[in-house]
Amino acid sequence: MQDNWKQLKISGLSKKFLRGPVILSDINLTVDRGAFLCILGPSGCGKSTLVDLIAGFEPPSEGVISFDATPIRGPGPDRVVIFQDISNALFPWLTVLENTEFVLKNFVRNKNQRRDQAMQALELVGLGGDTQKFPSELSGGMKQRVQIARGLVMDPHVLIMDEPFAALDAITRRRMQYELKDLWERTHKTVIFVTHDITEALIMATKVTILSSGPGAHILDSFDPGLASDRDPADAEFINAYRRVESLIGNEHNDSESHAE
Amino acid sequence: MFEQGIQRTLVVATLSILTGVILWGLCSGTIVNETLLPHPFSVWQEVVTQSDSGLLWESISISLWRVAWGWVLGVGVGIITGLILGQLRSVNAVMGPIFEFLKGVAPISLVPIMILWFGIGELPKVLIIAYITWVVVTVGTMTGVREVPKTRLRAARCMGLSELQVFCRIILPSAASYILVGMRTGIGFAFIALVSAEFIAVDKGIGFLIMDSRLNLQTSLMVVGIISLGVLGAGSQILYDVITRQIPWLSRFRRH
Ligand SMILES: Nc1ncnc2c1ncn2[C@@H]1O[C@H](COP(=O)(O)OP(=O)(O)OP(=O)(O)O)[C@@H](O)[C@H]1O
Ligand SMILES: [Mg+2]
């Protein structure tokens, strides 16, 4: 995989499972290198399905996903997923440090070097002091930090996060959002972040993409929210952006009342 | 807290056994004829006599020997077949139904054919015990392999692991807790199968002791045999727990 890629391109993407209706129809989307893309959409519209396609867990029914001109084929270490399923994403028989080192086994020969890299990533997410704990001894927020550290250590092209904070309490969730934003500002990793929480999306995104409700979800709009780096949900410009997203979703709701939630 | 829990369990267990023995003692010789249900004291006397004569220890050791070998064999083969049936769909499509069929065959019904095939030595006895252990461990291992959470497998696929690496580094450790439980359950079943196995012409062993004492109407000795089976079965499982807890490396696979 070439390291000097510029864009992740999703073109003409559709997905229909063997049974059931078309889930995603004609999705076109580009993600610039270094961007923080938030995909917003109502529950059940097909966000996780889109993540599965980008990660390569599921093949598209139509369309292509590619880094510049190189199509992706199946899952790979260039696209790491941070899962919402907190309890099953980590390996319960490994400590925090071992979980993070684990992913380097195939790429870094030197054991000490693996340890150093893993420690560095864990420090970055604020878990430097809990490296010898097992996942069962961690809170939900800490588990998600380990997942993020494990993703960072692999140095993928894209970090794909599927509602990673949805299972956390409101206070922890908000703290994690700002931490992730901070982390992104320091690393400038390309992130695709899926959520149905408008505020969450606007806190972090450099680009927001809004999906319609399903079945046959399509992209309603994609835009740069144009917010300053210091984002506060109480600021006027933040509230404006919030209203813009809400009206997009609201209009769609009126158009398609027949198959609303 | 934890220590207290163990103590309470011990106290409750002792009390329940004591109550059982007292009830038994009250029934014997009053409601039930003492020839049919010997008194706890006569059973205890029988234990002392047979332990002095060496018959009890000889029976126990030969039976334990059979159970141990049968169990080890069953565990070894069971883990392998369980991994194969759980992991390889194509093999499971062909062999799965055969296994489902074998699963339902009671060990005792294998006695005649075992005698035909392997004679009346130790081998057929060990094999009957191995057979039931194999069934139990195979089911446990197979379940463990199939129950690996989808998210865990997907996480592994993101890490660029080969199929073989996914199997060795993810599936095997994930299935380990199921395998350990299967091995433990296998101990109980091995003791159940022991009596069937000792239907095959024997002159030693606890199963033999029980059956032989019926012919001679030595009910106390029969009860001694039955109790020994229970004690050995439970004792082996406790020993298994103690040993597996002592291995720090194994305890990693317990926490889930
Ligand atoms: N393997 C599958 N086979 C058939 N249908 C599926 C499959 N996976 C998902 N679906 C369907 O696709 C639709 C979208 O599901 P998906 O999980 O992608 O939604 P989502 O936007 O992630 O929802 P949520 O916000 O609740 O996470 C649902 O109607 C679901 O039933
Ligand atoms: Mg989802």
Side-chain angles (χ1 to χ4, degrees):
Chain A
M1 181 59 61
Q2 80 274 37
D3 278 329
N4 54 349
W5 65 284
K6 293 194 176 61
Q7 268 189 333
L8 175 72
K9 288 185 190 160
I10 300 171
S11 36
L13 192 72
S14 295
K15 180 66 185 178
K16 183 185 180 307
F17 290 101
L18 249 45
R19 259 162 232 213
V22 175
I23 309 293
L24 298 167
S25 72
D26 196 27
I27 305 285
N28 293 288
L29 190 60
T30 57
V31 189
D32 293 332
R33 187 173 182 162
F36 197 120
L37 170 74
C38 280
I39 300 177
L40 259 170
S43 260
C45 75
K47 300 185 296 295
S48 295
T49 306
L50 182 55
V51 165
D52 290 352
L53 291 172
I54 301 174
F57 299 142
E58 289 279 345
S61 306
E62 275 171 52
V64 205
I65 301 168
S66 58
F67 283 107
D68 298 328
T70 317
I72 61 143
R73 274 211 262 114
D78 54 341
R79 283 151 290 132
V80 169
V81 179
I82 311 289
F83 298 91
Q84 177 184 350
D85 185 2
I86 290 182
S87 48
N88 287 321
L90 300 175
F91 306 130
W93 60 90
L94 298 179
T95 63
V96 167
L97 182 60
E98 289 164 342
N99 258 287
T100 317
E101 277 179 341
F102 181 92
V103 298
L104 291 173
K105 266 194 187 153
N106 277 357
F107 306 102
V108 180
R109 273 271 186 81
N110 186 307
K111 208 177 163 194
N112 290 331
Q113 202 181 331
R114 286 205 296 263
R115 180 138 303 193
D116 290 345
Q117 274 178 258
M119 276 308 295
Q120 227 175 341
L122 286 167
E123 306 264 347
L124 210 56
V125 297
L127 280 178
D130 303 290
T131 55
Q132 297 309 316
K133 288 187 175 154
F134 282 92
S136 57
E137 299 166 314
L138 302 179
S139 69
M142 288 159 95
K143 283 183 197 167
Q144 292 308 71
R145 286 197 183 96
V146 180
Q147 266 208 81
I148 295 172
R150 191 174 72 178
L152 286 175
V153 94
M154 292 184 69
D155 196 24
H157 292 187
V158 187
L159 266 180
I160 307 168
M161 310 178 116
D162 187 3
E163 304 194 48
F165 308 145
L168 305 179
D169 65 88
I171 298 167
T172 313
R173 193 187 315 148
R174 187 51 45 89
R175 197 171 67 228
M176 295 289 293
Q177 288 160 0
Y178 281 101
E179 274 180 25
L180 181 61
K181 179 174 182 290
D182 189 50
L183 197 64
W184 175 80
E185 274 162 4
R186 279 185 285 160
T187 59
H188 275 279
K189 274 261 122 266
T190 314
V191 177
I192 299 178
F193 189 102
V194 167
T195 179
H196 56 233
D197 179 338
I198 302 175
T199 310
E200 178 169 76
L202 291 176
I203 284 175
M204 300 179 289
T206 61
K207 178 176 179 177
V208 178
T209 289
I210 300 162
L211 285 178
S212 72
S213 56
H218 55 276
I219 292 180
L220 288 173
D221 200 3
S222 280
F223 62 92
D224 177 348
L227 297 169
S229 150
D230 236 359
R231 296 182 189 182
D232 184 340
D235 281 352
E237 61 169 359
F238 196 100
I239 294 168
N240 279 338
Y242 191 100
R243 292 227 175 95
R244 177 169 175 196
V245 175
E246 226 179 18
S247 74
L248 274 166
I249 295 173
N251 286 340
E252 192 257 339
H253 197 67
N254 295 337
D255 291 345
S256 55
E257 227 145 17
S258 50
H259 54 244
E261 309 171 44
Chain B
M1 276 293 279
F2 188 58
E3 288 299 314
Q4 252 179 12
I6 286 185
Q7 276 179 9
R8 185 174 303 171
T9 318
L10 277 179
V11 169
V12 172
T14 314
L15 280 179
S16 81
I17 290 172
L18 262 177
T19 318
V21 172
I22 289 170
L23 280 177
W24 164 24
L26 289 177
C27 291
S28 166
T30 53
I31 312 173
V32 188
N33 184 323
E34 210 173 323
T35 323
L36 295 181
L37 182 67
H39 197 271
F41 288 130
S42 25
V43 170
W44 177 248
Q45 255 165 7
E46 192 70 43
V47 170
V48 175
T49 319
Q50 298 306 345
S51 138
D52 286 347
S53 78
L55 176 65
L56 185 59
W57 303 122
E58 190 192 35
S59 307
I60 287 178
S61 65
I62 187 83
S63 287
L64 274 183
W65 185 90
R66 286 169 186 149
V67 167
W69 277 109
W71 183 77
V72 167
L73 191 62
V75 165
V77 181
I79 291 178
I80 295 168
T81 47
L83 290 177
I84 292 173
L85 287 177
Q87 180 69 11
L88 302 174
R89 276 166 194 276
S90 51
V91 177
N92 186 52
V94 181
M95 305 299 284
I98 300 176
F99 178 70
E100 288 300 315
F101 163 76
L102 285 177
K103 220 164 78 175
V105 177
I108 192 149
S109 52
L110 294 177
V111 168
I113 199 147
M114 284 288 161
I115 296 176
L116 265 179
W117 286 352
F118 302 107
I120 53 171
E122 287 302 314
L123 184 62
K125 297 170 189 108
V126 168
L127 284 181
I128 282 175
I129 295 165
Y131 159 78
I132 195 71
T133 313
W134 169 72
V135 168
V136 172
V137 173
T138 302
V139 171
T141 309
M142 212 161 66
T143 313
V145 170
R146 292 192 183 148
E147 296 290 298
V148 184
K150 190 173 161 194
T151 304
R152 198 177 289 166
L153 287 175
R154 287 185 158 184
R157 299 249 142 77
C158 282
M159 297 171 183
L161 301 186
S162 67
E163 287 300 315
L164 183 65
Q165 286 174 332
V166 170
F167 183 77
C168 296
R169 295 186 194 170
I170 310 290
I171 293 174
L172 220 48
S174 295
S177 62
Y178 290 82
I179 298 177
L180 286 171
V181 172
M183 285 166 67
R184 189 182 192 278
T185 317
I187 295 175
F189 278 86
F191 275 97
I192 292 172
L194 171 69
V195 180
S196 310
E198 291 184 343
F199 262 123
I200 302 173
V202 278
D203 50 6
K204 288 185 192 80
I206 303 172
F208 166 76
L209 204 71
I210 294 171
M211 268 145 353
D212 195 52
S213 53
R214 181 183 63 92
L215 297 181
N216 303 329
L217 219 65
Q218 292 174 286
T219 33
S220 315
L221 187 55
M222 196 194 291
V223 173
V224 169
I226 295 170
I227 292 178
S228 313
L229 270 183
V231 169
L232 288 176
S236 306
Q237 292 196 342
I238 293 171
L239 185 69
Y240 176 82
D241 289 343
V242 169
I243 291 175
T244 50
R245 288 222 175 89
Q246 286 307 309
I247 305 173
W249 170 81
L250 274 183
S251 70
R252 284 173 165 251
F253 302 104
R254 278 180 193 289
R255 34 180 114 222
H256 277 299

